[in-house]
Amino acid sequence: MKFTKIIITRPQKQNLKLQKRLAEIFLAHQIDVPVISLPLIEIVPIDQEGLAESTHRALLQAKWVSFVSPNAFLMCDQLFKKHHLKWPSHLHIAVVGGGSEQSIIDSGISFQEIVKPTDASAWDSEGLWQALQNAQANWQDCRMVRIHGEGGRNFLLEHLTEAGALIEEFSVYQRQALSLDDPAWKLLDPKQASLWVFNSSQAGDFLAKRLPQLGIDPSFLSHD
């Protein structure tokens, strides 16, 4: 099947970066397929002074900090800046993939190291746990701060806890479905054969929720 367009579904900031990168690659390889941004997930920061202070205090006492996504870092960084708090420079950082790593590097903060799965095909919690075991053999009583949005998987938390690590968790953002009145929905045409790119199951859930509200039969997604 020939696709008339590619639809990417990450939050707006990540979508824009991906859209730009894909446009560069397609231009270099003479691929004429438009990339459409439909940010199915909206990231809403949790802006509380108490949250900023308690997160910062925990980081001062920890050796490691884990960010579950680029948004986890970006929202925490935004929170710290608003409340005039600086990142400790002694931290070892754990991330699932290259997007989070690049966001941290681009921010210019100081740190000891960034650990992520070496194989891009294993950019997930399981891959990160393997990378962390390679980086540090003994996790007994080692303090880690885990920064994330509300909800999400607990694989890494469970394995670190079983290994004896002391984990403190902080939610710094919420995920919301893209608003029904967002103009991005106007780019969606069920009659066109599109390639959808999902980076989270929650984006798919939000799409399934919104389509009936827009008067669109979700069955078009399963057409061959």
Side-chain angles (χ1 to χ4, degrees):
M1 174 184 291
K2 183 178 181 180
F3 297 107
T4 58
K5 58 186 174 182
I6 297 173
I7 300 176
I8 54 177
T9 60
R10 304 178 76 182
Q12 182 67 9
K13 287 186 178 180
Q14 282 74 53
N15 252 5
L16 292 175
K17 287 183 179 180
L18 179 58
Q19 193 175 31
K20 180 180 178 181
R21 180 58 181 149
L22 288 175
E24 293 171 350
I25 294 173
F26 287 3
L27 180 62
H29 291 82
Q30 298 182 334
I31 299 174
D32 186 19
V33 180
V35 179
I36 305 300
S37 174
L38 183 64
L40 292 172
I41 295 178
E42 292 183 312
I43 301 299
V44 180
I46 301 175
D47 183 11
Q48 301 172 357
E49 184 175 2
L51 173 62
E53 292 176 348
S54 58
T55 304
H56 189 261
R57 186 163 52 249
L59 289 172
L60 290 173
Q61 300 171 1
K63 176 180 179 180
W64 287 86
V65 58
S66 171
F67 299 103
V68 303
S69 67
N71 284 309
F73 171 74
L74 293 170
M75 293 299 101
C76 193
D77 190 45
Q78 176 179 307
L79 184 67
F80 280 6
K81 287 177 178 176
K82 182 167 184 179
H83 296 285
H84 310 291
L85 296 169
K86 293 184 178 180
W87 287 96
S89 60
H90 71 277
L91 291 168
H92 299 251
I93 299 175
V95 296
V96 169
S100 298
E101 179 183 41
Q102 194 59 52
S103 294
I104 294 166
I105 292 172
D106 290 345
S107 74
I109 70 168
S110 298
F111 53 85
Q112 294 303 307
E113 65 173 332
I114 295 181
V115 172
K116 73 176 190 299
T118 54
D119 184 354
S121 66
W123 279 1
D124 52 27
S125 296
E126 290 85 348
L128 178 55
W129 173 230
Q130 183 61 54
L132 287 173
Q133 292 179 90
N134 294 335
Q136 180 170 305
N138 184 9
W139 287 89
Q140 187 66 41
D141 297 328
C142 183
R143 292 186 177 275
M144 173 184 279
V145 173
R146 184 171 177 264
I147 298 177
H148 52 79
E150 292 187 345
R153 297 180 63 193
N154 291 317
F155 177 91
L156 187 61
L157 173 64
E158 292 171 358
H159 282 71
L160 283 166
T161 301
E162 289 175 0
L166 305 176
I167 311 295
E168 286 191 77
E169 294 192 87
F170 298 92
S171 297
V172 295
Y173 65 92
Q174 299 171 319
R175 302 175 187 87
Q176 295 181 358
L178 182 65
S179 173
L180 284 170
D181 59 6
D182 193 288
W185 290 113
K186 297 179 181 179
L187 301 173
L188 179 59
D189 185 353
K191 297 179 181 179
Q192 293 183 333
S194 303
L195 174 64
W196 291 73
V197 180
F198 290 97
N199 294 83
S200 75
S201 59
Q202 195 167 33
D205 292 339
F206 285 161
L207 178 63
K209 174 184 175 181
R210 286 297 193 226
L211 288 178
Q213 296 171 335
L214 291 163
I216 299 175
D217 185 351
S219 64
F220 83 91
L221 292 170
S222 61
H223 288 174
D224 294 330

